[in-house]
């Protein structure tokens, strides 16, 4: 792993995290999978939900990683680690804690979702992502569910067969969303 990623993630050094943006994308591209694995460890720690420093470090690192993946067009190389981190978010609370306030893991999930699912036209990436994506549909976060539905629609246009095994879950999610909207209208 690049020494700056190692320092920032190993020491959870918020003061140096911004320095990651001074590095060239190609300089850190080989470190991204390992950095994602380290983020998964940090975000799975028992105190992550309440540790603002760790959350800020993770948020900055994820932004840097997803930017580098997009700029180097290396999503296939890092998709497994991205999907692994994304999947780990399902082990945590994703429901907003207050008015429009996402939980730390919902923020991670949202950032990773856009990085992964913007590549809906890349079947190898979608083959890894779709089984995890559908799990987010019933996790109680309307915004994540809404965004996920939009991305899944795009994936269906290019590679519908990847969604075939998940049709029942997707339809149930749509019906639940419609039911929730009806309940909101009654308020």
């Amino acid at each position: 792993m690049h020494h700056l990623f190692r320092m920032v993630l190993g020491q959870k050094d918020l003061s140096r995290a911004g320095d990651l943006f001074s590095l060239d994308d190609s300089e850190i591209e080989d470190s991204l999978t390992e950095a994602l694995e380290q983020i998964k460890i940090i975000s799975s720690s028992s105190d992550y939900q309440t540790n603002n420093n760790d959350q800020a470090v993770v948020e900055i690192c994820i932004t840097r990683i997803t930017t580098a993946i997009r700029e180097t067009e290396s999503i296939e190389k890092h998709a497994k680690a991205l999907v692994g981190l994304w999947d780990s978010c399902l082990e945590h609370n994703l429901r907003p804690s207050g008015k429009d306030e996402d939980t730390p893991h919902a923020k991670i999930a949202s950032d990773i979702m856009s990085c992964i699912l913007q590549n809906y036209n890349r079947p190898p990436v979608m083959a890894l992502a779709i089984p995890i994506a559908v799990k987010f549909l019933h996790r109680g976060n309307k915004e994540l569910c809404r965004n996920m539905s939009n991305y899944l629609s795009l994936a269906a246009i290019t590679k519908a067969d990847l969604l075939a095994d998940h049709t029942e879950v997707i339809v149930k999610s749509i019906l639940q969303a419609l039911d929730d909207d009806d309940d909101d209208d009654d308020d």
Side-chain angles (χ1 to χ4, degrees), residues 4 34 38 91 159:
L4 189 53
E34 195 175 348
Q38 186 64 37
E91 299 168 13
K159 202 74 172 133

Side-chain angles (χ1 to χ4, degrees), residues 4-92:
L4 189 53
F5 264 125
R6 188 176 300 110
M7 180 176 32
V8 169
L9 291 169
Q11 299 172 10
K12 300 170 195 161
D13 187 350
L14 184 56
S15 67
R16 298 293 312 272
D19 295 345
L20 291 167
F21 290 92
S22 67
L23 301 173
D24 190 70
D25 294 325
S26 61
E27 186 179 347
I28 60 170
E29 196 271 323
D30 286 337
S31 302
L32 302 181
T33 289
E34 195 175 348
L36 286 163
E37 291 165 355
Q38 186 64 37
I39 289 170
K40 183 176 173 182
I41 292 167
I42 294 168
S43 66
S44 296
S45 71
S46 58
D47 71 333
Y48 182 74
Q49 293 272 16
T50 57
N51 190 320
N52 293 335
N53 181 77
D54 288 7
Q55 291 172 29
V57 166
V58 164
E59 199 168 318
I60 291 167
C61 287
I62 287 175
T63 300
R64 184 63 190 102
I65 290 167
T66 56
T67 300
I69 287 172
R70 186 175 49 253
E71 295 301 318
T72 60
E73 298 180 4
S74 59
I75 186 69
E76 283 95 348
K77 181 176 179 181
H78 304 291
K80 188 175 179 183
L82 267 173
V83 171
L85 176 57
W86 196 33
D87 188 27
S88 75
C89 293
L90 290 165
E91 299 168 13
H92 303 277

Side-chain angles (χ1 to χ4, degrees), residues 81-158:
L82 267 173
V83 171
L85 176 57
W86 196 33
D87 188 27
S88 75
C89 293
L90 290 165
E91 299 168 13
H92 303 277
N93 179 25
L94 299 174
R95 291 179 188 265
S97 53
K99 182 78 173 138
D100 297 327
E101 191 174 316
D102 277 331
T103 66
H105 292 94
K107 290 177 185 175
I108 293 172
S110 180
D111 290 344
I112 292 175
M113 174 181 59
S114 62
C115 179
I116 293 172
L117 296 179
Q118 284 178 359
N119 291 280
Y120 61 87
N121 58 342
R122 297 183 187 208
V125 175
M126 290 300 97
L128 289 171
I130 298 289
I132 304 307
V134 296
K135 292 179 183 179
F136 280 94
L137 294 174
H138 293 289
R139 293 305 302 246
N141 186 309
K142 284 185 179 183
E143 190 62 30
L144 270 178
C145 184
R146 192 172 294 120
N147 290 336
M148 191 69 65
S149 298
N150 290 337
Y151 283 120
L152 289 174
S153 298
L154 292 171
I157 291 168
T158 23

